[in-house]
Amino acid sequence: MLAQAVEHLIRNIVDFPDDVSVKSHENPRGELLRVRVNPEDIGRVIGRGGRTANAIRAVIQALADHKVRVDIMDVRR
């Protein structure tokens, strides 16, 4: 559910929504959501000073009942 929420949020702010993918991984410190976007959308997703990325993280943490980390990366990696 959290991965779908992140994907929905990010697809609505990027220019290339088809390049957005979210994968969920469990680790000892909680859940990790890896978000991949087109390299041209990195700035849009992170935002000035990281404000957009921090807002996305805050929304997801509010929805979750456990520790969740959201990592944003581009598709080249």
Side-chain angles (χ1 to χ4, degrees), residues 14-30:
V14 298
D15 290 332
F16 301 98
D18 293 336
D19 291 344
V20 174
S21 72
V22 180
K23 298 209 189 286
S24 177
H25 302 280
E26 289 292 330
N27 60 34
R29 297 188 322 193

Side-chain angles (χ1 to χ4, degrees), residues 30-73:
E31 186 175 0
L32 170 64
L33 298 175
R34 291 189 182 223
V35 179
R36 291 185 184 266
V37 298
N38 189 294
E40 293 182 26
D41 288 326
I42 286 287
R44 187 177 299 262
V45 173
I46 294 174
R48 182 172 289 164
R51 288 186 205 151
T52 306
N54 287 336
I56 292 168
R57 289 179 179 118
V59 168
I60 296 306
Q61 192 59 52
L63 290 172
D65 58 352
H66 57 280
K67 180 74 174 155
V68 178
R69 196 172 93 208
V70 179
D71 285 347
I72 300 166
M73 50 191 66

